[in-house]
Amino acid sequence: MPTGASRARPGPRRPAVPRRTPLLLRRATSADLPLLLVHCRRMWEDIGGRSRAQIARLMPVYRRWVRREIAHRRFLAFVVEDPTGRVAGSGAIWISPVHPRPGRLLRRTMPYVLSMYTVPEFRGRGVASRIVRTMVHWAKTHGYRRIYLHASKQGLPVYARLGFVLGREMRREW
Ligand SMILES: CC(C)(COP(=O)(O)OP(=O)(O)OC[C@H]1O[C@@H](n2cnc3c(N)ncnc32)[C@H](O)[C@@H]1OP(=O)(O)O)[C@@H](O)C(=O)NCCC(=O)NCCS
């Protein structure tokens, strides 16, 4: 997930999908990998601030990384689609390593939300919210006490509505 997101580009001018279209959420399979890569690329494009060349260079690296993390059972994703299989959005969880600290001696991993993307025609109808709620449920049922992410400008209100809070993380850049 991005940090310090800059202005998002407007999505294409296609008609919104009727709100009554039912949407189904499912766990992604390895067959969804190409879709997840497309959504990752579009997410970075929509967030802005990165050149097309930078994003293009990212994709093969990200693909190899995702495949490796899936192989180590550290990556899972969810897809929302309509009954015809038209995809509305997706999002992923990376089970990231964390250092030991008081109260965290044995479990040294933490779920991290990344690559959240909703297809423009499906935006504003709860697709991302639904995916994040499912992720929170997944994290709770797997014994985690928190889940974290870096929010883009568009993502921030969505996560805030779902109870995500800004922490005390600091950084210095050069
Ligand atoms: C950010 C992004 C994933 C949000 O996706 P989305 O599916 O439109 O998000 P949601 O529909 O769940 O929430 C968006 C708004 O719709 C509203 N909404 C409409 N119908 C809703 C419903 N049935 N349930 C929940 N929210 C609904 C929400 O209130 C929310 O409003 P808010 O932003 O004022 O809080 C999407 O805009 C996107 O892909 N952006 C580009 C890439 C990006 O920034 N990704 C996030 C990286 S951190």
Side-chain angles (χ1 to χ4, degrees), residues 64-76:
R64 281 196 299 276
W65 178 80
V66 170
R67 290 177 76 98
R68 193 191 65 212
E69 295 308 296
I70 289 173
H72 287 94
R73 297 177 177 277
R74 294 189 296 241
F75 185 99
L76 61 137

Side-chain angles (χ1 to χ4, degrees), residues 24-171:
L24 313 161
L25 183 147
R26 63 174 175 81
R27 182 89 173 253
T29 69
S30 52
D32 294 306
L33 185 56
L35 168 80
L36 298 177
L37 295 175
V38 169
H39 281 191
C40 174
R41 177 169 54 76
R42 291 192 182 151
M43 178 193 78
W44 287 112
E45 288 170 357
D46 277 8
I47 287 169
R50 277 90 180 174
S51 70
R52 285 198 173 261
Q54 270 181 316
I55 296 170
R57 279 197 297 274
L58 165 71
M59 296 323 298
V61 177
Y62 183 72
R63 180 173 179 275
R64 281 196 299 276
W65 178 80
V66 170
R67 290 177 76 98
R68 193 191 65 212
E69 295 308 296
I70 289 173
H72 287 94
R73 297 177 177 277
R74 294 189 296 241
F75 185 99
L76 61 137
F78 298 94
V79 175
V80 171
E81 60 194 7
D82 75 9
T84 67
R86 188 165 47 160
V87 174
S90 67
I93 296 178
W94 176 44
I95 312 299
S96 88
V98 287
H99 64 284
R101 51 179 285 179
R104 195 170 68 200
L105 302 182
L106 297 176
R107 175 160 267 193
R108 310 255 182 87
T109 56
M110 192 79 82
Y112 180 80
V113 175
L114 77 165
S115 209
M116 289 294 304
Y117 180 76
T118 299
V119 174
E121 306 94 291
F122 286 91
R123 286 187 188 167
R125 49 176 296 185
V127 171
S129 304
R130 191 163 160 193
I131 292 173
V132 174
R133 276 196 294 269
T134 302
M135 290 169 162
V136 170
H137 178 74
W138 181 93
K140 282 182 185 167
T141 56
H142 285 78
Y144 291 101
R145 295 189 53 232
R146 68 178 58 147
I147 185 164
Y148 71 112
L149 54 79
H150 286 90
S152 70
K153 200 172 170 183
Q154 283 185 65
L156 198 103
V158 178
Y159 308 131
R161 267 169 38 100
L162 295 170
F164 282 70
V165 291
L166 292 169
R168 281 179 289 153
E169 188 189 74
M170 297 173 76
R171 68 168 188 249

